Amino acid sequence: MTFHTLIRGLLIGISMAAALSTTQRAEAEPTRPNILWITSEDNGPQLGCYGDTYADTPNIDALAAKSLRFRHCWSNAPVCAPARTTIISGMHATSLGGHHMRSGVRLPADVKLYPQVLREAGYYCTNHSKTDYNFANDDAGWQKGGGKSPWRSRPTEATPFMSVINFTVSHESQIRKRPHTLVHDPAKAPLPKYHPDTPEVRHDWAQYYDKLTEMDKMVGGVLKDLEADGLADSTIIFYYGDHGSGMPRSKRWPFDSGLRVPLLVHVPEQFRSLAPTDYLPGGESAQLVSFVDLAPTVISLAGVKPPANMQGVPFAGSFAGPAKPYLYGWRGRMDERIDMVRSCTDGRYVYMRHFYPERPYLKHVDYMFQTPTTRIWKQMFDEGKLNEDQAKFWQPKPVEELFDLQSDPDEVKNLAGDAAHADRVSMMRDAVHRWMIETGDMGMFPEAEMHRVVAEDQSPREFALNHSGLMTRLAETALDATDVASDMSTEKAIELSADPEAVIRFWAVRGIGLRNATTPAAIQAVKRAMHDESPSVAIAACEAIQIIEGKAEQQAATERLLELANVQTVGHFAAIEALNVLDMGAPLDAKLKQKIAALPRSLKKPPPRVGKYVGRLIDDIGVVTP
């Protein structure tokens, strides 16, 4: 054997050993997974794989057969923009002040959104075709390109991708789109107990299921493209809806019907070590998960530790965390209508806490009233043609509600006053209270007041972190003031109505009104508050006067509300608050409606995304009926 032959043999042996070592290392340490999120709009778990026999969703059902199906996934918010704000940040939108439908708030400079984290980790991140976040700056760090097969635009085949593909065909706006030839038989449509059984309602529900079938075909197309490109075995797939169905009392309301969404997670064999602990293809998980958990989970799947600002708990990946006892939901302003609700669930029971119990669940929202079901439902209420379960949602609310999803999946029977459930109500009430404090719930501020006290160069989140003592005191005040059965006395509410903090004064004045306090001290406190430096406090005082005082005082409160409804002097957020209260007080006569109709409708440069709402309220309540 020559020297050169010997050397060549040694080099070949070294190369083979290196290749074998590389192969073994690759087998022991597989490349990072690709991640694909397929999302659909305005649909709950009305799918075949969730046991709905009326549904026709074969592609999603086939995906479920090889995935883990989550039984309890909440969107946290029952409407799209706040829900997406929660997903992209890994934080409850209430913590960011971005929980109202259509708003634009600043983010702290140190908050990282999950596409930014993944891009730093080397992922190619795309979103087709929806962002819709409640931020002043809507740039979340997504990269451009790709269309409905975005992985084809990544720089190299070795580049891992994280892509979101969103389908809008099931959106609320498509349920009411006419003409539409029904495929599902409306006579067989399953109706919830709270909806009246009319041809309009049955048509809307049948069309909703038709749209889910159309969406299912689109999901099938994406999965087919992924398979054709040879990526099915290297891609972790999530499928989920963005909140409950677009039908009224689901969308916009933090019942289980408005928050529970389908969630399927498929993990290919080579990445099973990253799967949820109870992963089983075709199996079901009882673990409680929600949208606030999605960002930290996808970051965990990429092998990166989630940023400290994220409030969610990863349920898969290298940094998976412990199971949670509760999921939380919330509602703020929905378009032009103001309300505040907090809810939580343990998977079986749903607890709801109302902060505006004097207001009905449903009021006129222009977008919602374009759906035939909403219009006929309200018409039948006005005509006295609804039963108790159907009529309750056009009436004032209780302070607390508790529903047993096992015996009452439509959430119409309130168990909060049942002595047998007193301990459960107390535990869930305390859980909501702690959560509001721990997360820095900026929803405790009226929207106008939040923008008044938060400096222009500051974010609502930074304000909450810098005022932790106020946030703790505020949660207790808001909860006690809005519950006339709480330990807060009228005297205490009067005392707090003079507090140095305007937001404490706001809830105190509301407490006086809700208690219908007619003592001279209470009347004096409320009249003083009508001219508070905070428009929100003054508006709350006018509402209290409407509840507790005589005709002359009510007239004065109405005139003050007209002043506070002038968008050019108080801004959009306060004007929206004032118009909501004007609509909730005594019936407006023709003269007052004419004054409302003459109010300015907007500023030339309104705050982000809210410019139309003052005009919509004026159109609704300022119309003089012939």
Side-chain angles (χ1 to χ4, degrees):
M1 180 182 293
T2 65
F3 177 76
H4 291 295
T5 302
L6 177 63
I7 293 300
R8 186 167 64 249
L10 288 172
L11 290 173
I12 292 173
I14 292 171
S15 298
M16 291 177 64
L20 178 61
S21 174
T22 300
T23 301
Q24 291 173 336
R25 188 166 61 250
E27 291 176 352
E29 301 176 11
T31 56
R32 289 175 294 173
N34 302 311
I35 302 167
L36 173 63
W37 285 2
I38 305 174
T39 69
S40 52
E41 298 195 355
D42 294 23
N43 67 280
Q46 286 83 29
L47 307 170
C49 58
Y50 275 86
D52 193 320
T53 58
Y54 186 64
D56 180 18
T57 51
N59 293 290
I60 295 174
D61 297 347
L63 177 63
K66 61 179 183 178
S67 305
L68 183 65
R69 181 179 69 256
F70 284 83
R71 188 191 312 164
H72 307 294
C73 179
W74 265 20
S75 59
N76 298 117
V79 72
C80 58
R84 285 193 179 87
T85 299
T86 298
I87 293 174
I88 198 73
S89 65
M91 300 177 66
H92 289 283
T94 47
S95 299
L96 300 169
H99 54 286
H100 299 294
M101 181 55 180
R102 302 280 177 255
S103 58
V105 297
R106 291 175 61 94
L107 284 175
D110 61 347
V111 164
K112 284 192 173 181
L113 308 177
Y114 80 79
Q116 298 167 341
V117 176
L118 292 178
R119 287 183 66 177
E120 290 175 1
Y123 272 74
Y124 174 68
C125 298
T126 61
N127 187 323
H128 180 84
S129 58
K130 198 75 169 279
T131 53
D132 194 24
Y133 313 120
N134 282 338
F135 303 143
N137 181 358
D138 207 37
D139 180 11
W142 295 110
Q143 292 165 277
K144 295 182 178 180
K148 292 184 178 180
S149 300
W151 51 83
R152 294 173 182 169
S153 296
R154 65 195 193 278
T156 70
E157 290 188 0
T159 304
F161 66 84
M162 191 283 154
S163 294
V164 177
I165 299 178
N166 181 72
F167 294 119
T168 63
V169 69
S170 52
H171 188 265
E172 173 187 13
S173 59
Q174 303 306 302
I175 295 173
R176 60 191 183 227
K177 193 173 183 179
R178 302 291 193 271
H180 175 83
T181 302
L182 291 175
V183 178
H184 283 80
D185 182 356
K188 297 179 181 179
L191 304 186
K193 291 181 179 178
Y194 49 83
H195 280 169
D197 189 347
T198 73
E200 296 90 345
V201 176
R202 286 194 169 277
H203 189 291
D204 284 351
W205 274 109
Q207 186 161 332
Y208 166 68
Y209 278 88
D210 285 355
K211 292 299 175 181
L212 293 188
T213 300
E214 291 181 36
M215 178 270 294
D216 176 80
K217 292 178 182 177
M218 296 175 180
V219 171
V222 172
L223 296 176
K224 185 177 180 180
D225 288 347
L226 192 73
E227 182 79 34
D229 290 350
L231 295 169
D233 293 336
S234 60
T235 304
I236 295 175
I237 302 170
F238 284 38
Y239 163 74
Y240 60 89
D242 73 343
H243 54 73
S245 85
M247 294 292 283
R249 211 228 64 167
S250 291
K251 188 170 184 176
R252 301 179 182 88
W253 275 95
F255 291 90
D256 187 70
S257 67
L259 296 173
R260 189 158 66 97
V261 297
L263 172 62
L264 308 177
V265 176
H266 171 65
V267 182
E269 185 66 38
Q270 69 166 318
F271 296 113
R272 284 294 162 80
S273 64
L274 299 176
T277 55
D278 56 351
Y279 189 87
L280 181 67
E284 181 182 68
S285 175
Q287 184 176 356
L288 302 179
V289 299
S290 64
F291 278 9
V292 75
D293 304 317
L294 291 181
T297 297
V298 73
I299 292 171
S300 175
L301 287 170
V304 179
K305 185 177 181 179
N309 66 273
M310 292 191 173
Q311 298 167 331
V313 178
F315 54 84
S318 305
F319 298 92
K324 301 189 296 187
Y326 294 113
L327 302 177
Y328 296 93
W330 28 264
R331 170 200 162 122
R333 173 179 53 75
M334 293 294 170
D335 294 352
E336 64 265 31
R337 290 295 178 178
I338 294 173
D339 210 322
M340 177 180 173
V341 188
R342 299 293 178 264
S343 60
C344 73
T345 187
D346 61 3
R348 174 174 174 178
Y349 291 94
V350 174
Y351 169 82
M352 297 183 70
R353 179 57 161 83
H354 297 285
F355 289 79
Y356 287 87
E358 76 281 11
R359 300 183 182 183
Y361 299 85
L362 300 176
K363 283 290 290 181
H364 188 279
V365 173
D366 180 75
Y367 200 78
M368 182 179 71
F369 264 71
Q370 295 176 38
T371 301
T373 290
T374 311
R375 296 196 299 270
I376 192 65
W377 192 10
K378 179 58 163 65
Q379 178 184 327
M380 292 179 69
F381 172 74
D382 292 338
E383 295 171 351
K385 296 180 179 179
L386 300 178
N387 64 35
E388 183 178 354
D389 291 341
Q390 298 161 353
K392 69 172 287 186
F393 297 102
W394 300 97
Q395 298 171 333
K397 307 179 290 288
V399 173
E400 293 182 312
E401 294 184 280
L402 181 74
F403 304 105
D404 181 355
L405 295 175
Q406 190 174 92
S407 62
D408 178 29
D410 290 330
E411 301 165 283
V412 295
K413 185 179 180 181
N414 182 14
L415 303 175
D418 188 335
H421 294 282
D423 289 343
R424 187 180 310 279
V425 170
S426 178
M427 286 191 300
M428 298 181 86
R429 178 195 302 128
D430 290 345
V432 167
H433 186 181
R434 289 193 304 272
W435 174 82
M436 291 172 68
I437 295 171
E438 291 169 0
T439 60
D441 187 347
M442 286 300 291
M444 295 185 289
F445 281 77
E447 192 173 13
E449 182 63 15
M450 180 184 76
H451 287 284
R452 192 180 77 92
V453 300
V454 176
E456 288 187 8
D457 61 348
Q458 188 183 40
S459 68
R461 178 61 177 165
E462 289 167 307
F463 179 93
L465 293 174
N466 293 335
H467 295 82
S468 58
L470 171 61
M471 300 302 286
T472 299
R473 194 161 69 97
L474 179 54
E476 181 177 357
T477 303
L479 286 162
D480 286 349
T482 51
D483 182 3
V484 297
S486 73
D487 293 335
M488 178 179 283
S489 65
T490 298
E491 290 72 25
K492 182 62 175 178
I494 293 170
E495 176 189 336
L496 292 175
S497 71
D499 193 89
E501 296 288 349
V503 70
I504 297 291
R505 300 197 299 273
F506 170 83
W507 289 109
V509 170
R510 277 191 50 72
I512 294 172
L514 290 172
R515 284 161 178 74
N516 198 18
T518 57
T519 65
I523 300 300
Q524 182 180 2
V526 172
K527 287 184 175 180
R528 180 182 67 245
M530 283 175 59
H531 301 281
D532 196 279
E533 65 178 352
S534 164
S536 296
V537 176
I539 292 165
C542 291
E543 183 176 21
I545 286 289
Q546 289 182 331
I547 296 172
I548 64 179
E549 266 286 23
K551 185 174 181 180
E553 289 76 9
Q554 289 175 351
Q555 183 176 350
T558 299
E559 292 298 329
R560 178 67 174 134
L561 282 170
L562 286 170
E563 296 174 0
L564 294 163
N566 188 326
V567 66
Q568 294 184 352
T569 57
V570 299
H572 278 78
F573 300 113
I576 291 170
E577 290 177 17
L579 286 164
N580 269 266
V581 173
L582 276 168
D583 192 36
M584 297 302 303
L588 301 171
D589 59 27
K591 186 176 180 180
L592 281 172
K593 288 187 175 184
Q594 288 173 349
K595 289 183 178 181
I596 292 171
L599 287 168
R601 302 172 62 88
S602 183
L603 296 173
K604 289 184 178 180
K605 291 185 178 180
R609 314 179 85 193
V610 300
K612 297 181 180 179
Y613 296 143
V614 170
R616 287 184 184 177
L617 284 165
I618 290 172
D619 288 341
D620 180 40
I621 65 179
V623 174
V624 179
T625 304

